[in-house]
Coordinates of all heavy atoms in Angstrom, one line a residue:
M8 N 0.9 -1.2 0.0 CA 0.0 0.0 0.0 C 0.9 1.2 0.0 O 1.6 1.5 0.9 CB -0.9 0.0 1.3 CG -1.9 1.1 1.3 SD -3.4 0.6 0.3 CE -4.4 2.1 0.5
S9 N 0.9 2.0 -1.1 CA 1.7 3.1 -1.2 C 1.1 4.3 -0.5 O -0.1 4.5 -0.5 CB 1.9 3.5 -2.7 OG 2.6 4.7 -2.8
M10 N 2.0 5.2 0.1 CA 1.5 6.4 0.7 C 1.5 7.6 -0.2 O 1.2 8.7 0.1 CB 2.3 6.7 2.0 CG 2.2 5.7 3.1 SD 0.5 5.5 3.7 CE 0.3 7.1 4.5
Q11 N 2.0 7.3 -1.4 CA 2.1 8.4 -2.4 C 0.7 8.8 -2.8 O -0.2 8.0 -3.0 CB 2.8 8.0 -3.7 CG 4.3 7.8 -3.5 CD 5.0 9.1 -3.3 OE1 4.7 10.0 -4.0 NE2 6.0 9.1 -2.4
P12 N 0.4 10.1 -2.9 CA -0.9 10.6 -3.3 C -1.1 10.2 -4.8 O -0.2 10.1 -5.6 CB -0.9 12.1 -3.1 CG 0.6 12.4 -3.2 CD 1.3 11.2 -2.6
A13 N -2.4 10.1 -5.1 CA -2.7 9.7 -6.5 C -2.3 10.9 -7.4 O -2.3 12.1 -7.0 CB -4.2 9.5 -6.6
P14 N -2.0 10.6 -8.7 CA -1.6 11.7 -9.6 C -2.6 12.8 -9.7 O -2.3 14.0 -9.9 CB -1.4 11.0 -10.9 CG -1.2 9.6 -10.6 CD -1.9 9.3 -9.3
T15 N -3.9 12.5 -9.6 CA -5.0 13.5 -9.7 C -5.1 14.3 -8.5 O -5.8 15.3 -8.5 CB -6.3 12.8 -9.9 OG1 -6.5 11.8 -8.9 CG2 -6.3 12.1 -11.3
A16 N -4.3 14.0 -7.4 CA -4.4 14.8 -6.2 C -3.6 16.2 -6.4 O -3.8 17.1 -5.6 CB -3.8 14.1 -5.0
I17 N -2.8 16.3 -7.4 CA -2.1 17.5 -7.7 C -2.6 18.1 -9.0 O -2.6 17.4 -10.0 CB -0.6 17.3 -7.8 CG1 0.0 16.7 -6.5 CG2 0.2 18.6 -8.1 CD1 -0.1 17.6 -5.3
T18 N -3.1 19.3 -8.9 CA -3.5 20.0 -10.1 C -2.9 21.4 -10.2 O -2.7 22.0 -9.2 CB -5.1 20.2 -10.1 OG1 -5.4 20.9 -9.0 CG2 -5.8 18.8 -10.2
P19 N -2.5 21.8 -11.4 CA -1.9 23.1 -11.5 C -2.9 24.2 -11.3 O -4.1 24.1 -11.7 CB -1.4 23.1 -13.0 CG -2.2 22.2 -13.7 CD -2.6 21.1 -12.7
C20 N -2.4 25.3 -10.7 CA -3.3 26.5 -10.6 C -3.6 27.0 -12.0 O -2.7 27.2 -12.8 CB -2.5 27.6 -9.8 SG -3.4 29.2 -9.8
P21 N -4.9 27.2 -12.3 CA -5.3 27.6 -13.7 C -4.8 29.0 -14.0 O -4.9 29.4 -15.2 CB -6.8 27.5 -13.6 CG -7.2 27.6 -12.2 CD -6.0 27.0 -11.4
L22 N -4.4 29.7 -13.0 CA -4.0 31.1 -13.3 C -2.5 31.2 -13.4 O -2.0 32.0 -14.3 CB -4.5 32.0 -12.2 CG -6.0 32.1 -12.1 CD1 -6.4 33.1 -11.0 CD2 -6.6 32.6 -13.4
C23 N -1.7 30.5 -12.6 CA -0.2 30.7 -12.6 C 0.5 29.4 -12.8 O 1.7 29.4 -13.0 CB 0.3 31.4 -11.3 SG 0.2 30.4 -9.9
G24 N -0.2 28.2 -12.8 CA 0.4 27.0 -13.1 C 1.1 26.3 -11.9 O 1.7 25.2 -12.1
T25 N 1.1 26.9 -10.8 CA 1.7 26.3 -9.6 C 1.0 25.0 -9.2 O -0.3 25.0 -9.2 CB 1.6 27.3 -8.4 OG1 2.3 28.5 -8.7 CG2 2.2 26.7 -7.1
P26 N 1.7 23.9 -9.0 CA 1.0 22.7 -8.6 C 0.3 22.9 -7.2 O 0.9 23.4 -6.3 CB 2.2 21.7 -8.5 CG 3.3 22.3 -9.2 CD 3.2 23.8 -9.1
L27 N -0.9 22.5 -7.2 CA -1.7 22.6 -6.0 C -2.4 21.3 -5.7 O -2.7 20.5 -6.6 CB -2.8 23.7 -6.1 CG -2.3 25.1 -6.4 CD1 -3.6 26.0 -6.7 CD2 -1.6 25.7 -5.2
R28 N -2.6 21.0 -4.4 CA -3.4 19.9 -4.0 C -4.8 20.1 -4.6 O -5.3 21.2 -4.6 CB -3.5 19.7 -2.5 CG -2.2 19.4 -1.9 CD -2.3 19.4 -0.4 NE -3.3 18.5 0.1 CZ -3.0 17.3 0.6 NH1 -1.7 16.9 0.5 NH2 -3.9 16.4 1.0
S29 N -5.4 19.0 -5.1 CA -6.8 19.2 -5.7 C -7.8 19.6 -4.7 O -8.8 20.1 -5.0 CB -7.2 17.8 -6.3 OG -7.2 16.8 -5.3
T30 N -7.5 19.5 -3.4 CA -8.4 20.0 -2.4 C -8.1 21.4 -1.9 O -8.8 22.0 -1.1 CB -8.3 19.1 -1.1 OG1 -6.9 19.0 -0.7 CG2 -8.8 17.7 -1.4
A31 N -7.0 22.0 -2.5 CA -6.6 23.4 -2.1 C -7.8 24.4 -2.4 O -8.4 24.2 -3.4 CB -5.4 23.8 -2.8
E32 N -7.9 25.3 -1.5 CA -9.0 26.3 -1.7 C -8.4 27.7 -2.2 O -9.1 28.6 -2.5 CB -9.8 26.5 -0.4 CG -10.4 25.2 0.0 CD -11.7 25.4 0.7 OE1 -12.0 26.5 1.1 OE2 -12.4 24.4 0.9
S33 N -7.0 27.8 -2.1 CA -6.4 29.0 -2.6 C -5.0 28.7 -3.1 O -4.4 27.6 -2.7 CB -6.4 30.1 -1.6 OG -5.6 29.7 -0.5
C34 N -4.4 29.5 -4.0 CA -3.1 29.3 -4.5 C -2.1 30.0 -3.6 O -2.3 31.2 -3.4 CB -3.0 29.8 -5.9 SG -1.4 29.7 -6.6
S35 N -1.1 29.3 -3.2 CA -0.1 29.9 -2.3 C 0.8 30.9 -3.0 O 1.4 31.7 -2.4 CB 0.8 28.8 -1.6 OG 1.4 28.0 -2.6
R36 N 0.8 30.8 -4.3 CA 1.8 31.7 -5.1 C 1.1 33.0 -5.6 O 1.5 34.1 -5.3 CB 2.3 30.9 -6.3 CG 3.3 31.8 -7.1 CD 3.9 31.0 -8.3 NE 4.6 31.8 -9.2 CZ 4.8 31.5 -10.5 NH1 4.4 30.3 -10.9 NH2 5.5 32.3 -11.3
C37 N -0.1 32.8 -6.3 CA -0.7 34.0 -6.9 C -1.9 34.5 -6.1 O -2.5 35.5 -6.3 CB -1.1 33.8 -8.3 SG -2.5 32.7 -8.5
G38 N -2.4 33.6 -5.1 CA -3.5 34.1 -4.2 C -4.8 33.8 -4.8 O -5.8 34.3 -4.3
A39 N -4.9 33.1 -6.0 CA -6.2 32.8 -6.6 C -7.0 32.0 -5.6 O -6.5 31.2 -4.8 CB -6.0 32.0 -7.9
V40 N -8.3 32.2 -5.6 CA -9.2 31.5 -4.6 C -10.2 30.7 -5.4 O -10.8 31.1 -6.4 CB -10.0 32.6 -3.8 CG1 -10.9 31.9 -2.8 CG2 -9.0 33.4 -3.0
R41 N -10.4 29.4 -4.9 CA -11.4 28.6 -5.5 C -12.8 29.1 -5.1 O -13.0 29.4 -3.9 CB -11.2 27.1 -5.0 CG -12.1 26.1 -5.8 CD -12.2 24.8 -5.1 NE -11.0 24.1 -4.9 CZ -10.5 23.2 -5.7 NH1 -11.1 22.9 -6.8 NH2 -9.4 22.6 -5.4
Q42 N -13.7 29.2 -6.1 CA -15.0 29.7 -5.9 C -16.0 28.6 -6.1 O -16.1 28.1 -7.2 CB -15.3 30.9 -6.8 CG -16.7 31.4 -6.7 CD -17.0 32.1 -5.4 OE1 -16.2 32.8 -4.8 NE2 -18.2 32.0 -5.0
F43 N -16.8 28.3 -5.1 CA -17.9 27.4 -5.2 C -19.2 28.1 -5.5 O -19.6 28.9 -4.7 CB -18.0 26.5 -4.0 CG -16.8 25.7 -3.6 CD1 -15.9 26.2 -2.7 CD2 -16.6 24.5 -4.2 CE1 -14.8 25.4 -2.4 CE2 -15.5 23.7 -3.9 CZ -14.6 24.2 -3.0
G44 N -19.7 27.9 -6.7 CA -21.0 28.5 -7.0 C -20.7 30.0 -7.4 O -19.6 30.4 -7.5
P45 N -21.8 30.7 -7.5 CA -21.7 32.1 -7.9 C -21.2 33.0 -6.8 O -21.4 32.7 -5.6 CB -23.1 32.5 -8.3 CG -24.0 31.6 -7.5 CD -23.2 30.3 -7.3
T46 N -20.5 34.0 -7.2 CA -20.1 35.0 -6.2 C -21.3 35.8 -5.7 O -22.4 35.7 -6.3 CB -19.0 36.0 -6.8 OG1 -19.7 36.7 -7.8 CG2 -17.8 35.3 -7.3
R47 N -21.1 36.5 -4.6 CA -22.3 37.3 -4.1 C -22.8 38.3 -5.2 O -24.0 38.5 -5.4 CB -21.8 38.1 -2.9 CG -22.9 38.9 -2.2 CD -22.4 39.7 -1.1 NE -21.9 38.8 0.0 CZ -22.6 38.4 1.0 NH1 -23.8 38.8 1.2 NH2 -22.1 37.6 1.9
A48 N -21.8 38.9 -5.9 CA -22.2 39.9 -7.0 C -23.0 39.2 -8.1 O -23.9 39.7 -8.6 CB -20.9 40.5 -7.5
E49 N -22.5 38.0 -8.5 CA -23.2 37.3 -9.5 C -24.6 36.9 -9.1 O -25.6 36.9 -9.9 CB -22.4 36.0 -9.9 CG -21.2 36.4 -10.7 CD -20.2 35.3 -10.9 OE1 -20.3 34.3 -10.1 OE2 -19.3 35.4 -11.7
S50 N -24.8 36.5 -7.8 CA -26.2 36.2 -7.3 C -27.1 37.4 -7.4 O -28.2 37.3 -7.8 CB -26.1 35.6 -5.9 OG -25.4 34.4 -5.9
I51 N -26.5 38.5 -6.9 CA -27.3 39.8 -6.9 C -27.7 40.2 -8.3 O -28.8 40.6 -8.6 CB -26.5 40.9 -6.2 CG1 -26.4 40.5 -4.7 CG2 -27.2 42.2 -6.3 CD1 -25.5 41.4 -3.9
R52 N -26.6 40.1 -9.2 CA -26.9 40.5 -10.6 C -27.9 39.6 -11.3 O -28.9 40.1 -11.9 CB -25.6 40.5 -11.4 CG -25.7 41.1 -12.8 CD -24.3 41.3 -13.4 NE -23.6 40.0 -13.6 CZ -22.4 39.8 -13.3 NH1 -21.6 40.7 -12.8 NH2 -21.8 38.6 -13.5
G53 N -27.9 38.3 -11.0 CA -28.8 37.4 -11.6 C -30.2 37.7 -11.1 O -31.2 37.7 -11.9
A54 N -30.3 38.0 -9.8 CA -31.6 38.3 -9.2 C -32.2 39.6 -9.7 O -33.4 39.7 -10.0 CB -31.5 38.4 -7.7
L55 N -31.3 40.6 -9.9 CA -31.8 41.9 -10.4 C -32.3 41.8 -11.8 O -33.3 42.4 -12.2 CB -30.7 43.0 -10.3 CG -30.4 43.5 -8.8 CD1 -29.3 44.5 -8.8 CD2 -31.7 44.0 -8.2
V56 N -31.5 41.0 -12.6 CA -31.9 40.9 -14.0 C -33.3 40.2 -14.1 O -34.1 40.6 -14.9 CB -30.8 40.0 -14.8 CG1 -31.4 39.6 -16.1 CG2 -29.6 40.8 -15.0
G57 N -33.5 39.2 -13.3 CA -34.8 38.5 -13.3 C -35.9 39.5 -12.8 O -37.0 39.5 -13.4
A58 N -35.6 40.3 -11.8 CA -36.6 41.2 -11.2 C -37.0 42.3 -12.2 O -38.1 42.8 -12.1 CB -36.1 41.8 -9.9
V59 N -36.1 42.6 -13.1 CA -36.4 43.6 -14.1 C -36.9 43.0 -15.4 O -37.9 43.5 -15.9 CB -35.1 44.5 -14.4 CG1 -35.4 45.4 -15.6 CG2 -34.7 45.2 -13.2
A60 N -36.3 41.9 -15.8 CA -36.7 41.3 -17.1 C -38.1 40.7 -17.1 O -38.9 40.9 -18.0 CB -35.6 40.3 -17.5
A61 N -38.4 40.0 -16.0 CA -39.7 39.3 -15.9 C -40.8 40.2 -16.0 O -41.8 40.0 -16.8 CB -39.7 38.4 -14.7
P62 N -40.9 41.3 -15.2 CA -42.0 42.2 -15.3 C -42.0 43.0 -16.7 O -43.1 43.3 -17.2 CB -41.8 43.2 -14.2 CG -40.6 42.8 -13.4 CD -40.0 41.6 -14.1
A63 N -40.8 43.3 -17.2 CA -40.7 44.0 -18.5 C -41.4 43.2 -19.6 O -42.1 43.7 -20.4 CB -39.2 44.3 -18.8
I64 N -41.1 41.9 -19.5 CA -41.8 41.0 -20.6 C -43.3 40.9 -20.3 O -44.1 41.0 -21.2 CB -41.1 39.6 -20.5 CG1 -39.7 39.7 -21.0 CG2 -41.9 38.6 -21.4 CD1 -38.8 38.5 -20.7
T65 N -43.6 40.8 -19.0 CA -45.1 40.7 -18.7 C -45.8 41.9 -19.0 O -47.0 41.9 -19.2 CB -45.2 40.3 -17.2 OG1 -44.3 39.2 -16.9 CG2 -46.6 40.0 -16.8
A66 N -45.2 43.1 -18.9 CA -45.8 44.4 -19.1 C -46.5 44.5 -20.5 O -47.4 45.3 -20.7 CB -44.8 45.5 -18.9
I67 N -46.0 43.7 -21.4 CA -46.6 43.6 -22.8 C -48.0 43.3 -22.7 O -48.9 43.8 -23.5 CB -45.8 42.6 -23.7 CG1 -44.3 43.1 -23.8 CG2 -46.5 42.5 -25.0 CD1 -43.4 42.1 -24.5
L68 N -48.4 42.4 -21.7 CA -49.8 42.0 -21.5 C -50.6 43.0 -20.8 O -51.8 42.8 -20.6 CB -49.8 40.6 -20.8 CG -48.9 39.5 -21.4 CD1 -48.9 38.3 -20.5 CD2 -49.5 39.2 -22.8
Q69 N -50.0 44.1 -20.3 CA -50.7 45.2 -19.6 C -51.4 44.6 -18.4 O -52.7 44.8 -18.3 CB -51.6 45.9 -20.5 CG -50.8 46.7 -21.7 CD -51.7 47.6 -22.5 OE1 -52.9 47.3 -22.6 NE2 -51.2 48.6 -23.1
P70 N -50.7 43.9 -17.5 CA -51.4 43.4 -16.3 C -51.5 44.5 -15.2 O -51.0 45.6 -15.4 CB -50.4 42.3 -15.9 CG -49.1 42.8 -16.3 CD -49.3 43.6 -17.5
S71 N -52.1 44.2 -14.1 CA -52.3 45.1 -13.0 C -50.9 45.2 -12.3 O -50.0 44.4 -12.5 CB -53.3 44.6 -12.0 OG -52.9 43.4 -11.4
V72 N -50.8 46.3 -11.5 CA -49.6 46.5 -10.7 C -49.3 45.3 -9.8 O -48.1 44.9 -9.6 CB -49.7 47.8 -9.9 CG1 -48.5 48.0 -9.0 CG2 -49.8 49.0 -10.8
I73 N -50.3 44.8 -9.2 CA -50.1 43.6 -8.3 C -49.5 42.4 -9.0 O -48.6 41.8 -8.5 CB -51.5 43.2 -7.6 CG1 -51.9 44.4 -6.7 CG2 -51.3 41.9 -6.9 CD1 -53.3 44.2 -6.1
V74 N -50.0 42.2 -10.2 CA -49.4 41.1 -11.0 C -48.0 41.4 -11.3 O -47.1 40.5 -11.2 CB -50.3 40.9 -12.3 CG1 -49.5 39.9 -13.2 CG2 -51.7 40.4 -12.0
L75 N -47.7 42.6 -11.7 CA -46.3 43.0 -12.0 C -45.4 42.8 -10.8 O -44.2 42.3 -11.0 CB -46.2 44.4 -12.5 CG -46.6 44.7 -14.0 CD1 -46.5 46.2 -14.3 CD2 -45.7 43.9 -14.9
V76 N -45.8 43.1 -9.6 CA -45.0 43.0 -8.4 C -44.8 41.5 -8.2 O -43.7 41.1 -7.9 CB -45.7 43.6 -7.2 CG1 -45.0 43.2 -5.9 CG2 -45.7 45.1 -7.3
C77 N -45.8 40.7 -8.4 CA -45.7 39.2 -8.2 C -44.7 38.7 -9.2 O -43.8 37.8 -8.8 CB -47.0 38.5 -8.3 SG -48.1 38.9 -6.9
V78 N -44.8 39.1 -10.4 CA -43.9 38.6 -11.4 C -42.4 39.1 -11.1 O -41.5 38.3 -11.4 CB -44.3 39.2 -12.8 CG1 -43.2 38.9 -13.9 CG2 -45.6 38.5 -13.2
A79 N -42.3 40.3 -10.6 CA -40.9 40.8 -10.3 C -40.3 39.9 -9.2 O -39.1 39.6 -9.2 CB -41.0 42.3 -9.8
I80 N -41.1 39.6 -8.2 CA -40.6 38.7 -7.1 C -40.2 37.3 -7.7 O -39.2 36.8 -7.3 CB -41.6 38.6 -6.0 CG1 -41.8 40.0 -5.3 CG2 -41.2 37.5 -5.0 CD1 -43.0 40.0 -4.3
A81 N -41.1 36.8 -8.5 CA -40.8 35.5 -9.1 C -39.5 35.6 -10.0 O -38.6 34.7 -10.0 CB -41.9 35.1 -10.0
G82 N -39.3 36.7 -10.7 CA -38.1 36.9 -11.5 C -36.9 37.1 -10.6 O -35.8 36.6 -10.9
L83 N -37.0 37.7 -9.5 CA -35.9 37.9 -8.5 C -35.4 36.5 -8.1 O -34.2 36.2 -8.1 CB -36.4 38.7 -7.3 CG -35.4 39.1 -6.3 CD1 -34.7 40.4 -6.7 CD2 -36.0 39.3 -4.9
V84 N -36.4 35.7 -7.6 CA -36.0 34.4 -7.1 C -35.5 33.5 -8.3 O -34.4 32.9 -8.2 CB -37.2 33.7 -6.5 CG1 -36.9 32.3 -6.1 CG2 -37.7 34.5 -5.3
G85 N -36.1 33.6 -9.5 CA -35.7 32.8 -10.6 C -34.3 33.2 -11.0 O -33.5 32.4 -11.3
G86 N -34.0 34.5 -11.1 CA -32.7 35.0 -11.5 C -31.6 34.5 -10.5 O -30.5 34.2 -11.0
F87 N -32.0 34.5 -9.3 CA -31.0 34.1 -8.2 C -30.6 32.6 -8.5 O -29.5 32.2 -8.5 CB -31.7 34.2 -6.9 CG -30.8 33.8 -5.7 CD1 -29.8 34.7 -5.3 CD2 -30.9 32.6 -5.1 CE1 -29.0 34.3 -4.2 CE2 -30.1 32.2 -4.1 CZ -29.1 33.1 -3.6
Y88 N -31.6 31.8 -8.8 CA -31.3 30.4 -9.0 C -30.7 30.1 -10.4 O -29.9 29.2 -10.5 CB -32.6 29.6 -8.9 CG -33.0 29.3 -7.5 CD1 -34.1 30.0 -6.9 CD2 -32.3 28.4 -6.7 CE1 -34.4 29.8 -5.6 CE2 -32.6 28.2 -5.4 CZ -33.7 28.9 -4.8 OH -34.0 28.7 -3.5
V89 N -31.0 31.0 -11.3 CA -30.3 30.9 -12.6 C -28.8 31.1 -12.4 O -27.9 30.4 -13.0 CB -30.9 31.8 -13.7 CG1 -30.0 32.0 -14.9 CG2 -32.2 31.3 -14.1
A90 N -28.5 32.1 -11.6 CA -27.1 32.4 -11.3 C -26.4 31.2 -10.7 O -25.2 30.9 -11.0 CB -27.0 33.7 -10.4
H91 N -27.1 30.6 -9.8 CA -26.5 29.4 -9.1 C -26.3 28.3 -10.1 O -25.4 27.5 -10.1 CB -27.4 29.0 -7.9 CG -27.1 29.7 -6.7 ND1 -26.4 29.2 -5.7 CD2 -27.5 31.0 -6.3 CE1 -26.2 30.1 -4.7 NE2 -26.9 31.2 -5.1
A92 N -27.3 28.1 -11.0 CA -27.2 27.0 -11.9 C -26.1 27.2 -12.9 O -25.4 26.3 -13.3 CB -28.6 26.8 -12.7
R93 N -25.9 28.5 -13.3 CA -24.9 28.8 -14.3 C -23.5 28.6 -13.8 O -22.6 28.2 -14.5 CB -25.1 30.3 -14.8 CG -24.1 30.7 -15.9 CD -24.3 32.1 -16.2 NE -25.6 32.4 -16.7 CZ -26.0 33.7 -16.9 NH1 -25.3 34.7 -16.6 NH2 -27.2 33.9 -17.4
H94 N -23.4 28.9 -12.5 CA -22.0 28.8 -11.8 C -22.0 27.6 -10.8 O -21.6 27.8 -9.7 CB -21.7 30.1 -11.2 CG -21.7 31.3 -12.1 ND1 -20.8 31.4 -13.1 CD2 -22.5 32.3 -12.2 CE1 -21.0 32.5 -13.8 NE2 -22.0 33.1 -13.2
G95 N -22.5 26.5 -11.3 CA -22.6 25.4 -10.3 C -21.3 24.7 -10.0 O -21.1 24.1 -9.0
A96 N -20.3 24.8 -10.9 CA -19.0 24.1 -10.8 C -18.0 25.0 -10.1 O -18.2 26.2 -10.0 CB -18.5 23.7 -12.1
D97 N -16.9 24.4 -9.6 CA -15.8 25.1 -9.0 C -15.2 26.0 -10.1 O -15.1 25.7 -11.2 CB -14.8 24.2 -8.5 CG -15.3 23.3 -7.4 OD1 -16.5 23.3 -7.2 OD2 -14.4 22.6 -6.8
R98 N -14.8 27.2 -9.6 CA -14.0 28.1 -10.5 C -12.8 28.6 -9.6 O -12.9 28.6 -8.4 CB -14.8 29.2 -11.0 CG -15.8 28.9 -12.0 CD -16.7 30.1 -12.3 NE -17.4 30.5 -11.2 CZ -17.8 31.7 -11.0 NH1 -17.6 32.7 -11.8 NH2 -18.5 32.1 -9.9
W99 N -11.8 29.1 -10.3 CA -10.7 29.8 -9.6 C -10.8 31.3 -10.0 O -10.8 31.6 -11.2 CB -9.4 29.2 -10.0 CG -9.2 27.9 -9.4 CD1 -9.6 26.7 -9.8 CD2 -8.5 27.6 -8.2 NE1 -9.3 25.7 -9.0 CE2 -8.5 26.3 -7.9 CE3 -7.8 28.5 -7.3 CZ2 -7.9 25.7 -6.8 CZ3 -7.2 27.9 -6.2 CH2 -7.3 26.5 -5.9
L100 N -10.9 32.2 -9.0 CA -10.9 33.6 -9.3 C -9.6 34.2 -8.9 O -9.0 33.8 -7.9 CB -12.1 34.2 -8.4 CG -13.5 33.6 -8.7 CD1 -14.5 34.3 -7.8 CD2 -13.8 33.9 -10.2
P101 N -9.2 35.3 -9.6 CA -8.0 36.0 -9.2 C -8.2 36.6 -7.9 O -9.3 36.9 -7.4 CB -7.9 37.1 -10.3 CG -8.9 36.7 -11.4 CD -9.9 35.8 -10.8
P102 N -7.1 36.9 -7.2 CA -7.1 37.4 -5.8 C -7.7 38.8 -5.7 O -8.1 39.2 -4.7 CB -5.7 37.4 -5.4 CG -4.9 37.4 -6.6 CD -5.7 36.6 -7.6
S103 N -7.8 39.5 -6.9 CA -8.4 40.8 -6.8 C -9.9 40.9 -6.6 O -10.4 41.9 -6.2 CB -8.0 41.6 -8.1 OG -8.6 40.9 -9.2
R104 N -10.5 39.7 -6.8 CA -12.0 39.7 -6.6 C -12.3 39.6 -5.2 O -11.8 38.8 -4.4 CB -12.6 38.5 -7.3 CG -12.4 38.6 -8.8 CD -13.4 39.5 -9.5 NE -14.8 39.0 -9.4 CZ -15.3 38.2 -10.3 NH1 -14.7 37.8 -11.4 NH2 -16.6 37.8 -10.1
Ligands
LIG20 ZN1 -1.8 30.5 -8.8

C-alpha cells in the first residue's frame, strides 16, 4: 500500500500553473481563490436581471400592478437560481476579486 498521493491529487493552478493539491482552496503563489458557485455579486446581478426582465416581458400583456409585483418577485427568485445553476461548478478567481 503506497502512501504516495494519486496523480490526480495535484492539479496546476489555472492562473499561474503552480502545482496545488486538488483539495486546495487557494493558490499559495498568486493568491487565486477557488469559488464554489456564484459570487455574491453574480447572485445579486442574476436576481436583479430577473426582477427587471420578468415584469418587463409581462408588461406587454398590460397586467395590473399587483401582477407585475408578483412577477418581479418571481423573477428575482428565478434569476437568483439561474445564477446558481450557471455557476454550479468550481472556479478559480483571481485574488483581486
Ligand atoms: Zn496560482
Side-chain angles (χ1 to χ4, degrees):
M8 187 82 180
S9 172
M10 294 300 290
Q11 289 290 320
T15 53
I17 301 294
T18 56
C20 170
L22 297 179
C23 71
T25 299
L27 299 172
R28 293 172 63 93
S29 59
T30 55
E32 303 211 347
S33 64
C34 175
S35 57
R36 180 179 169 202
C37 73
V40 177
R41 190 198 297 268
Q42 173 70 36
F43 297 95
T46 63
R47 183 182 297 265
E49 286 165 347
S50 294
I51 293 171
R52 190 169 60 224
L55 287 180
V56 167
V59 172
I64 294 168
T65 308
I67 296 170
L68 304 175
Q69 297 187 331
S71 66
V72 173
I73 293 172
V74 170
L75 279 178
V76 169
C77 290
V78 170
I80 293 171
L83 188 85
V84 175
F87 182 80
Y88 281 105
V89 166
H91 275 260
R93 182 184 297 170
H94 301 294
D97 296 8
R98 288 174 298 153
W99 285 84
L100 300 179
S103 60
R104 295 282 292 270

